[in-house]
Amino acid sequence: MSSVKEPAVGRPSAQAPTLDLHEIQATVLRQRPAPYFGAHVLLHVDDARAGRQFLRRLAPHVDSAAGWRIAANAWLAVGISHSGLEALGVPRESLQSFPEAFREGMAARARQLGDEGVNDPKNWDPPFGSGQVHIGVTAFSDSEEKRRRAVAIAREQWENFSGVRLLAMQNFGAQPGDLNPLGYKDGIDQPAIEGSGVEPLPGQGPHIKAGEFILGYPGEAGVSLPMPQPDVLGRNGTYAGFRKYQSRVGAFNRFLHAHGSTEEERELLAAKLVGRWRSGAPLTLAPDVDDPALGADPRRNNDFGYSNDPGGRQAPLGCHIRRMNPRDTELTRLTDVNLHRLIRRGTTYGPPYDANALSEEGDKVPRGAYFLFISAKAMATIEFLQQEWINDGNFIGIGDERDPIVGLQEEGATFTIPKEPVRRRVHGIETFNVLRGGEYFFMPSLSALRWLGELT
Amino acid sequence: MATQTQLVADPKSDPVVEQKLRKLRELYADAPEVGRVALENGLSNLKRELAAATGTQNAGRIGARQGKVSELTGVIPFAKGGAKRLRGLLQALEGNFRGGDAVGTLHDMRFVFLDNDTKLLFATAYDGDWDAYIDDFVTKIPDAMDLLFCNIEGWPGIHSPSAKDFIAKHQIAAEAWYVANPNLTVAETRRLERVGKAVEELLDQIE
């Protein structure tokens, strides 16, 4: 149909894969292409029989991870919420075998997630948090044309019969340079999964046991997580936390201008917040000036640790990437950093970042990111990250400070930039990315999709 | 919290406080005389405390929390020979818990042997939700956990997926929980110790 294309990142490893790649959804291993184009589709199942028929028809179009390297076409990922499993008529014993946080749903877990204030589910965009979102389908592709074709294929499966209804559709991607809504190259650091057959990139660290990311395999503790039952439903499945953020680009730019009088000062501050320059070049390797060639090179842009920077003079202790993956940073609490990683599929929507947007109008432009956070214990991991690594600074010994990019900031919040002879403490940091919605999805294996489709 | 206390200008006029006082008088009607007298003598102080109440918080699945500090209390039957082993282990350690230091969230731990060495009262103050780091214990200090808890009847082993449920099952939520410095975590206390020392050194140089 179209030319075979190398994905943006990833090479096969010398070891043959040991996971059932033919069973696992492609999105778990396949990186976002560059450039990327896609759409998120949220569906409601009015009638169990129609819902199951939809899954039966859709299943052949969902790629497996066996071909993670080669994406000839757009590919679809499918997730089903707990209320979706109910609507499909999944037996009660099966429903009860899912983890509590998944059964309750993301909105009901607001306390554990710290989703309060502006991030409170009562402020979310419909249809999030209403219990109406049953099935999420995401199409990824490397061209606008393929995206349209993939969405058309998905649409054909629900349009010609009643019982499955479209709630919302959101296109994403197509930003120049694939920059995120605040103007950074993102999605660089991903966990390496043992047995996947994907070679880790330099700095990606040793492989993490597959059971952390895919159900049915031993995790880091040497045992498998409990799986949803029956076995065919749970094995080779995983979970995705889906979170929609709106970026307050005006507030972000005003903050940079308030604390940087020149372009250079503002760009350095922007880099200190994230731990990388906008190009993707890490401060640890390029502490003083940006190095765009470094940022663009996947074999170099993640190849570092923090052992030479224990105090954060290069990459501040509280910067975004050091929080999300502290690597070898000494933490104040007994922590196994391999247990709190997520496969991230970030997808930017709306107009691209605009460095000149300084007004409050700039905050209201619908632009931001939808994140898919994938893990075999996605609910527990997202709750841990929100509580410990995003909306707190204790774990890294910096008191109450929060993640400057995705944290929910309180009045009078600060961001500390370690420096000689004295640190610089920047005041007036605001919530730059506001949560606009979220759902927990189960991402079934391809066999489980068929099993669900054939329920009676 | 503290700011809300100041908002209540005159506790006497607070109907919630008056209601609580009526309830306490009813409860103490059959108390020994010293108790009844104490209630009336201490009325003005008590009113202030009642007006300042802000409600209790939960610590994750079970237990109470004040600010960032939570409590965990359990009364748990010993396994056969468990009391003897645990006493021997605790005596050998002589109160030195390096593992506790490394955990970084434990303010204290208390081991009390009850009912002729048949049950253990375990009580601890710690930061945050108790199960946030349980998986980290499993991969980082599994032996320390099993060494302690194998002395408990029915301990499934730290690697068992039911270990969390086992702990929760034996936990008894405290009826009340008081913390003097509810916002001082173990990590923050250590940080302030460092900062305080550095400030004193700086002042020494200026002197």
Side-chain angles (χ1 to χ4, degrees), chain B residues 39-110:
Chain B
L39 184 65
E40 296 309 320
N41 286 349
L43 218 52
S44 58
N45 281 337
L46 192 58
K47 273 186 183 176
R48 270 198 293 278
E49 286 194 38
L50 293 174
T54 54
T56 47
Q57 298 165 281
N58 297 323
R61 263 205 283 197
I62 185 169
R65 179 191 295 178
Q66 285 291 338
K68 292 177 177 173
V69 187
S70 310
E71 62 87 23
L72 184 152
T73 312
V75 177
I76 322 159
F78 276 118
K80 195 164 183 294
K84 191 176 161 212
R85 286 192 298 270
L86 184 60
R87 178 171 283 124
L89 176 66
L90 295 173
Q91 284 176 350
L93 287 168
E94 297 177 35
N96 175 17
F97 284 88
R98 277 275 166 80
D101 284 354
V103 167
T105 53
L106 290 172
H107 290 255
D108 58 40
M109 287 191 283
R110 189 176 307 195

Side-chain angles (χ1 to χ4, degrees), chain A residues 41-62:
Chain A
V41 178
L42 301 175
L43 300 165
H44 181 83
V45 176
D46 287 309
D47 172 73
R49 280 212 335 234
R52 298 195 287 254
Q53 192 183 353
F54 167 70
L55 289 184
R56 282 202 301 280
R57 295 167 58 150
L58 192 72
H61 301 286
V62 178

